[in-house]
Amino acid sequence: MTTNNTTLLDSIDPEIVQTLAKRQNEIANGAGTNSKLTAALALGSIPVALAALSKDVYGQSASDVLDVLQFALLLEYLEAEFYNRGVQNATVMGIPAADLPIFTTIQAHENAHVAALRAMITAKGATPIAKPNFDYTAKGNVPGFNFAAGQYATFQVLSQAFEDTGVRAYKGQAGRLINDKATLTAALTIHSVEARHAAEIRRLRNLKGWITGRSRDDLPLFTQPIYDGENNASQAGILLLPLGNNNGGGEAVTEAFDEPLTKDQVTAIVTPFLA
Amino acid sequence: MPEKKTMVISSAEQLLDAKTRRNFLKLMGAGGAVFFLPSILTACSDDDDVTGPAFGQPAGSGPAVVIDFSRGDVAVLQYAYALEQLEADFYTRVVAAFSTSTFSAGERVVLTDVKNHEVIHRDAFKAILGPSNDFTLNTTYGNLNFADRTSVLATARTFEDLGVAAYNGAAQYLTVLANLELAGKIVSVEARHAAVIRDLIAPKSSSQGDSGTSFAPKAFDDAFRPGKVVPLAQPFVVEVLTPRNAPATFVQGPNNNG
């Protein structure tokens, strides 16, 4: 820390300085943070970092909340249209009658999420983003997929990919809503429903309802970023692996906690699905 | 009805003091309330302790366990720790009863996984809370038959749905990002459990609503305030769950039922 910075810090609440110093250590140890804060700390600029931190930790702004809602709306559009088309083409795709209630249920929920998010955005005086056009082949990563005959298995694969992504995406944005309790609570009640969807489709596919390690199971390679980081076994700075002794081992420790994805990570996953 | 008397026990030494002990027993006989500060509860957890309630005693017959929300984030984590203690205990007993129960092989895998997750959640909170982890809840399940598949799954569903609603409702009390993130990491796993348990009860059901049997019975999960969660959890707890100083305002979720 330079002399100049020390002088500047003298006029700042010591608690904030302490928090920043702690945060700096955490970041040095690889903690996630916003890119401006990382950049500022890399430059060794405490005052700039303080400015970034004020947004990172204290006082997520109204524009942050709107950004989260619009981002969530994009994901829900992606899911809603996927299930709308899936249910519409259930017969041709060959979805068995016994399985169809799963997808009509999820379809109804995703459309309700779209409507709720649009209403929340409008209530905050903004305009909901328009639904983009989607490419469910993900730029050819899912070759030829078009809700067509014989593609039910692929439909299930995409469903699992979208639901597991949705859980991690909402989780990653919750912190930006910490000062807007109504939006936070609404987002969390969607987040856990996405987790229910994910568990159900995973069961339908004869998988565990939860994610073990960073395994994508039988999903194609391009979906690996949806599962990367799920093998984290430390929570609140404590390595929890010993808790797996006689309790399913390290695999159970990773299953017991779902991990967030950053907005950038989710954007990278979703972008191939934008036509 | 005369006003109930209360006493506060803050150290184990107090219990060894003859006068305290006499007053304690007298107060219990009169239906009074005794509050144990968190530091005392570990000392009281042994079954042979004069104050230590044991498994299977009537719900609410034990001493109060106070969760004081004026402590902020710590109280929310204690609240979660309390709920995870119940879930961990329940599934541990479910798995222990496998030799007499009728679960299929696949169901045993599911229930063993859930047991592992809930024990890990409980022990994680115990580690994270550090000195504030010092209370142990004793459970009671009335006449629940752990060998009976239908009864066990119905109770499991209650625990999982309640857990989801509790985390969703308590998140608004958290002020530290790391704690909100931790709660988020757990609640979605509870929701996965809820969906799987529900699918064991009513496979592939689309039935919606409060009494719906679907894996996901609502487009938005419930978010309950502690004052709504505690009465639903209390039937399984010997101690008296006592939330204190919960914030007056509760921000409802989309279902507006918390």
Side-chain angles (χ1 to χ4, degrees), chain A residues 5-136:
Chain A
N5 281 338
T6 307
T7 308
L8 271 169
L9 289 172
D10 285 341
S11 62
I12 298 171
D13 184 339
E15 268 190 37
I16 296 179
V17 176
Q18 274 178 15
T19 303
L20 179 60
K22 182 164 173 285
R23 195 82 178 107
Q24 199 167 18
N25 284 336
E26 288 169 3
I27 290 156
N29 293 327
T33 183
N34 75 40
S35 54
K36 281 180 191 155
L37 177 55
T38 310
L41 288 174
L43 293 168
S45 167
I46 293 293
V48 174
L50 271 173
L53 187 71
S54 67
K55 193 180 166 204
D56 184 45
V57 178
Y58 304 101
Q60 283 67 17
S61 66
S63 64
D64 263 332
V65 173
L66 271 173
D67 184 65
V68 170
L69 290 172
Q70 300 280 22
F71 180 55
L73 179 57
L74 173 67
L75 299 177
E76 297 289 355
Y77 277 141
L78 173 71
E79 291 185 308
E81 178 165 314
F82 176 75
Y83 293 107
N84 288 344
R85 293 177 66 180
V87 169
Q88 193 177 11
N89 293 286
T91 308
V92 62
M93 261 200 297
I95 300 182
D99 294 358
L100 191 57
I102 294 174
F103 298 107
T104 55
T105 300
I106 299 178
Q107 175 197 20
H109 292 175
E110 308 299 11
N111 283 286
H113 297 167
V114 166
L117 289 166
R118 288 181 57 92
M120 290 161 71
I121 292 164
T122 303
K124 290 183 182 297
T127 304
I129 59 165
K131 184 187 75 62
N133 292 317
F134 294 113
D135 169 12
Y136 290 103

Side-chain angles (χ1 to χ4, degrees), chain A residues 134-146 151 154 157-158 220-223 269-275:
Chain A
F134 294 113
D135 169 12
Y136 290 103
T137 73
K139 302 286 184 292
N141 280 304
V142 193
F145 180 74
N146 191 30
Q151 294 186 327
T154 307
V157 163
L158 285 169
L221 179 61
F222 86 94
T223 66
I269 290 165
V270 168
T271 297
F273 291 95
L274 301 175

